[in-house]
Amino acid sequence: MPRSFLFSKGRRWTFVHLCPFWHLTEPGRVDLLREFTQAVAANVRLEEGERAVEQTMVECYLKPGISTKELARKTVLPVPVAAAIKKELIRAGALVQKDGVHCSPEGKAYVEDELGYGGFDQDLYRKLITDPLCWRSELDDGLPVLRELFRERPQEDVRIDQSKCTMETSLKRAILGLREQSLIGKRILCVGDDDLVSISIGFLLTRLFPGNAGKHRTRIEVADIDLRFLDYIRSASEQMGAVAECHQADLRQSLPPALRGRFDCFYTDPPYTLQGMTLFLSRGIEALRRKKGLSIFLSFAHKSPDASLEMQRELVRMGLTVKEMIPFFNEYEGAEIIGNRSQMIVLQTTDSTAPPITLPFEDAIYTGDVKRTRRTYICKRCGRAEAVGYGGAHGTIEELKRAGCPSCGHDTFDLTGRTRV
């Protein structure tokens, strides 16, 4: 029997001792297992938190016989820290050392049953996280269906800064979550989802768990103000067999209590204003569990150096760290105002993470409200001038194109002037 270690509440357990409790209802079982990972993190005095313990278990599961040096590289930990975690997990009976490091039978059951990796396609997983372009070939047979779902989604409403990313971008976001170990077995929230990230995650899960659709432990939820997209996501996810739970929420109001403190990561592509970014991140942070090392996937426009500095000050004020910034990661349909591209910023929570906005927010957050402009367009056929934007007959050029010129019905226009209101 492996040696026992001391939990924070004074009880001594080994990892093996936890196995009889796996028949408990989910809240009780999860509490025990969370206590286990917390205890290991505490014994090692691990600044990275319990998530590093889970990552260590997953890496040992995915590559039996992994060396300590490679384990450190995979978990992005110093070798002495990775070795200390490994030693503690061996003492607890979760790992064994024999020609490298392996999961014990109990450790394997923990990764499969509790972390949610049971029954998934390990070969596909390895390919997706090591080759950023292999999804084009590995997922090729399912892409036509996914592409059709994206083609049929509702028209974007640019008045609330909706700007639909391409199917490829949405799928890349899902794969990025997989790479960050923030997808399998996790509870994921999409804070706004006109980009259908929830659908891409569901599609990816059906491929990673062939024949086990619906049996994985990942839970996908969406909070959005637009009922059109919520209805579409609900229908499309049911069609795919990876149902997303949808909540209508105006994020300018306080976050619904049912969404608070429940999630392991979130995705957001907020309005491209500082106020909009801060508000959407605040609501997302409220939705996260109180745990450091959780991932946040923020898509945001490329900004000037001064604007980027203000953005990063806001991130620091929220207690978030930047793990990675990927320029030009996101590509959009239309969205000329941001050059059809934006960056992906991977953030992580810390002990200091807190939302700066918790009450209803009354300031403007959308670009058209923050920067009120009226633009003049000239019909290329008849020369009629039309005002678009604040106070105009049409809120956006897309609306004018769909309606056509009031005089001749033509749908092509030239921008000739712009006025701040």
Side-chain angles (χ1 to χ4, degrees):
M1 179 69 68
R3 293 170 58 190
S4 63
F5 60 90
L6 187 64
F7 277 115
S8 58
K9 294 182 180 178
R11 291 178 291 174
R12 286 189 177 274
W13 296 93
T14 65
F15 191 86
V16 175
H17 287 144
L18 291 176
C19 296
F21 293 92
W22 288 0
H23 70 279
L24 294 174
T25 59
E26 184 170 345
R29 184 177 66 239
V30 169
D31 285 345
L32 279 172
L33 293 168
R34 185 176 299 135
E35 192 174 351
F36 163 73
T37 56
Q38 288 173 346
V40 172
N43 286 358
V44 181
R45 298 179 181 177
L46 189 60
E47 292 183 358
E48 289 78 6
E50 61 190 85
R51 189 165 186 262
V53 179
E54 294 181 0
Q55 289 176 322
T56 299
M57 292 292 301
V58 170
E59 293 299 340
C60 293
Y61 171 80
L62 293 174
K63 190 172 183 180
I66 189 171
S67 68
T68 302
K69 186 175 181 179
E70 185 175 1
L71 187 60
R73 183 176 62 82
K74 290 281 190 180
T75 55
V76 198
L77 293 169
V79 173
V81 175
I85 296 173
K86 178 194 74 173
K87 181 179 179 181
E88 196 66 31
L89 289 170
I90 290 173
R91 290 178 60 203
L95 299 179
V96 293
Q97 180 86 50
K98 183 179 181 182
D99 298 325
V101 189
H102 305 252
C103 286
S104 67
E106 294 81 13
K108 182 179 179 182
Y110 170 65
V111 174
E112 291 182 346
D113 298 340
E114 301 306 322
L115 298 186
Y117 284 77
F120 90 122
D121 187 335
Q122 292 194 32
D123 288 338
L124 176 60
Y125 173 85
R126 292 190 185 95
K127 290 175 182 177
L128 290 173
I129 65 173
T130 55
D131 182 353
L133 297 178
C134 81
W135 61 268
R136 299 179 186 275
S137 57
E138 295 297 326
L139 307 177
D140 180 65
D141 58 331
L143 293 181
V145 173
L146 187 63
R147 188 169 283 109
E148 181 65 16
L149 288 174
F150 273 73
R151 191 182 69 82
E152 294 294 330
R153 62 182 153 171
Q155 181 70 33
E156 72 272 20
D157 185 348
V158 297
R159 292 171 299 182
I160 55 173
D161 284 1
Q162 287 181 348
S163 181
K164 298 186 293 188
C165 76
T166 63
M167 179 211 73
E168 292 80 5
T169 291
S170 184
L171 189 54
K172 280 166 52 183
R173 292 180 188 176
I175 294 171
L176 180 61
L178 186 69
R179 191 193 77 186
E180 294 293 321
Q181 290 190 9
S182 296
L183 192 147
I184 293 179
K186 304 300 183 183
R187 190 179 290 273
I188 303 165
L189 179 65
C190 295
V191 181
D193 197 24
D194 52 291
D195 294 327
L196 303 190
V197 175
S198 56
I199 300 300
S200 293
I201 293 173
F203 168 75
L204 192 57
L205 288 170
T206 62
R207 305 306 299 267
L208 285 166
F209 291 84
N212 292 299
K215 296 182 180 179
H216 55 78
R217 296 181 63 85
T218 303
R219 295 294 177 264
I220 311 164
E221 301 191 33
V222 177
D224 201 298
I225 193 173
D226 194 331
L227 272 175
R228 300 173 306 144
F229 274 94
L230 292 175
D231 289 342
Y232 187 78
I233 289 168
R234 192 178 292 112
S235 173
S237 64
E238 289 176 357
Q239 175 183 334
M240 188 169 293
V243 179
E245 186 176 344
C246 296
H247 311 267
Q248 187 180 27
D250 182 347
L251 298 178
R252 291 169 294 190
Q253 304 303 314
S254 297
L255 192 72
L259 295 178
R260 295 176 190 167
R262 297 176 48 229
F263 295 90
D264 300 297
C265 79
F266 71 86
Y267 289 81
T268 190
D269 193 337
Y272 294 142
T273 63
L274 189 62
Q275 301 95 313
M277 182 201 77
T278 302
L279 178 64
F280 276 51
L281 285 177
S282 291
R283 301 309 189 213
I285 290 169
E286 279 190 279
L288 291 178
R289 294 165 53 198
R290 303 278 78 81
K291 182 178 177 182
K292 62 183 174 183
L294 300 183
S295 295
I296 298 169
F297 301 98
L298 168 65
S299 296
F300 203 66
H302 297 96
K303 296 288 187 179
S304 68
D306 286 344
S308 295
L309 178 61
E310 288 301 312
M311 176 188 74
Q312 292 179 36
R313 281 175 175 159
E314 280 298 297
L315 298 179
V316 171
R317 187 164 73 99
M318 291 184 237
L320 300 173
T321 62
V322 177
K323 182 178 181 182
E324 186 176 10
M325 300 182 75
I326 312 174
F328 308 109
F329 181 93
N330 301 295
E331 184 175 0
Y332 299 86
E333 300 173 1
E336 287 85 358
I337 193 170
I338 58 170
N340 306 97
R341 295 276 185 168
S342 76
Q343 60 188 323
M344 169 61 72
I345 307 173
V346 182
L347 304 168
Q348 285 190 321
T349 58
T350 68
D351 283 334
S352 301
T353 297
I357 302 170
T358 56
L359 299 175
F361 189 76
E362 297 181 355
D363 290 349
I365 62 170
Y366 298 116
T367 304
D369 296 327
V370 173
K371 300 178 180 179
R372 291 182 173 179
T373 62
R374 183 182 298 120
R375 300 170 300 284
T376 302
Y377 287 87
I378 299 295
C379 175
K380 295 187 73 171
R381 174 181 289 173
C382 71
R384 175 176 172 134
E386 280 293 307
V388 172
Y390 188 77
H394 300 281
T396 68
I397 182 59
E398 287 80 8
E399 290 181 9
L400 176 58
K401 287 179 178 179
R402 286 196 294 271
C405 173
S407 295
C408 68
H410 195 58
D411 62 359
T412 305
F413 302 85
D414 284 331
L415 176 65
T416 61
R418 186 190 306 267
T419 305
R420 291 291 295 270
V421 179

